[in-house]
């Protein structure tokens, strides 16, 4: 089946602390994830046979963040959504820049994963990425330089990313106008 060349989530390394600093709660984060994943599968890759190789850069996540029950609930809910609603859409799920404690964290999460999802997981240390391991899954021309590729397109700047931002801006503008009319 066709394979979208590259997708990251998000376009910067995952940080589990910032949402709280900005007073963004569990439900808001899950709605945001649902919006992102629905957009991906209805706009960016709408065909049933479309699949992606997803890179989740976890370099900035700390062990304390993983052990936090609020964060664990978010992680569990994201996994549940992906496994229940889109079980066959991911070709490969790459956990990039894994820290030394990643095996312990995987023990928390692995019972939530289906055997099919587990078979798609690939864990890569920063050293593996520096040595070019990602090019086994993604052509260098489609891989941003920060991940060892030769793409000149920066993370978050692809035409697909720009299309999504335009749509969000349009929805925000429409919702703002609607809100003003109700007053």
């Amino acid at each position: 089946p066709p394979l979208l060349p590259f997708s990251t989530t998000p376009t910067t390394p995952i940080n589990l602390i910032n949402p709280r600093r900005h007073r963004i709660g569990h439900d808001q984060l899950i709605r945001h994830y649902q919006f992102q994943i629905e957009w991906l599968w209805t706009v960016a890759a709408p065909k049933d046979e479309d699949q992606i190789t997803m890179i989740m850069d976890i370099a900035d996540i700390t062990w304390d963040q993983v052990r936090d029950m609020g964060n664990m609930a978010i992680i569990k809910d994201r996994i549940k959504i992906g496994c229940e609603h889109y079980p066959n859409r991911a070709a490969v799920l790459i956990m990039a820049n894994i820290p030394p404690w990643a095996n312990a964290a995987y023990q928390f999460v692995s019972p939530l994963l289906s055997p099919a999802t587990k078979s798609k997981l690939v864990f890569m240390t920063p050293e593996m990425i520096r040595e070019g391991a990602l090019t086994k899954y993604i052509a260098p021309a489609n891989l941003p330089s920060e991940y060892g590729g030769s793409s000149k397109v920066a993370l978050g700047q692809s035409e697909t990313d720009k299309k999504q931002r335009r749509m969000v801006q349009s929805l925000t503008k429409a919702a703002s106008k609607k809100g003003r009319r109700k007053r």
Side-chain angles (χ1 to χ4, degrees):
L3 179 67
L4 293 180
F6 181 70
S7 175
T8 62
T9 179
T11 56
T12 57
I14 298 168
N15 184 316
L16 295 172
I17 296 281
N18 281 340
R20 287 196 188 132
R21 286 188 183 148
H22 297 287
R23 294 190 171 95
I24 298 171
H26 176 271
D27 290 345
Q28 290 169 304
L29 283 170
I30 294 302
R31 279 196 306 272
H32 172 73
Y33 175 68
Q34 288 171 322
F35 172 82
Q36 292 282 15
I37 203 83
E38 284 295 324
W39 189 88
L40 173 64
W41 297 127
T42 58
V43 178
K47 297 177 187 159
D48 286 342
E49 64 272 11
D50 287 340
Q51 290 187 312
I52 63 164
T53 294
M54 183 179 291
I55 296 176
M56 294 195 297
D57 188 332
I58 60 172
D60 292 344
I61 296 179
T62 67
W63 176 244
D64 287 339
Q65 290 172 340
V66 171
R67 290 183 358 174
D68 178 278
M69 293 313 289
N71 290 336
M72 186 51 70
I74 292 167
I75 292 166
K76 286 180 179 180
D77 285 350
R78 282 192 66 174
I79 290 170
K80 184 178 177 184
I81 290 167
C83 289
E84 288 182 4
H85 300 285
Y86 306 99
N88 300 312
R89 300 301 293 268
V92 180
L93 303 166
I94 300 170
M95 305 301 288
N97 293 309
I98 61 167
W101 49 260
N103 280 340
Y106 183 69
Q107 298 309 312
F108 278 119
V109 178
S110 65
L112 303 170
L113 303 175
S114 69
T117 299
K118 287 179 185 179
S119 73
K120 296 174 185 181
L121 282 172
V122 175
F123 297 91
M124 291 190 186
T125 63
E127 294 77 27
M128 294 168 72
I129 291 169
R130 280 193 296 277
E131 293 168 0
L134 281 169
T135 60
K136 177 181 176 184
Y137 301 95
I138 302 169
N142 295 325
L143 194 59
S145 61
E146 48 267 68
Y147 291 106
S150 59
S151 175
K152 303 293 185 225
V153 179
L155 284 177
Q157 298 306 311
S158 72
E159 286 307 312
T160 302
D161 293 320
K162 291 175 183 178
K163 182 177 181 179
Q164 185 183 37
R165 278 195 297 279
R166 286 190 299 271
M167 187 188 80
V168 169
Q169 289 168 348
S170 173
L171 291 171
T172 301
K173 186 176 179 180
S176 178
K177 284 181 182 178
K178 186 177 179 182
R180 284 194 296 260
R181 278 186 262 159
K182 286 186 176 182
R183 291 181 191 162

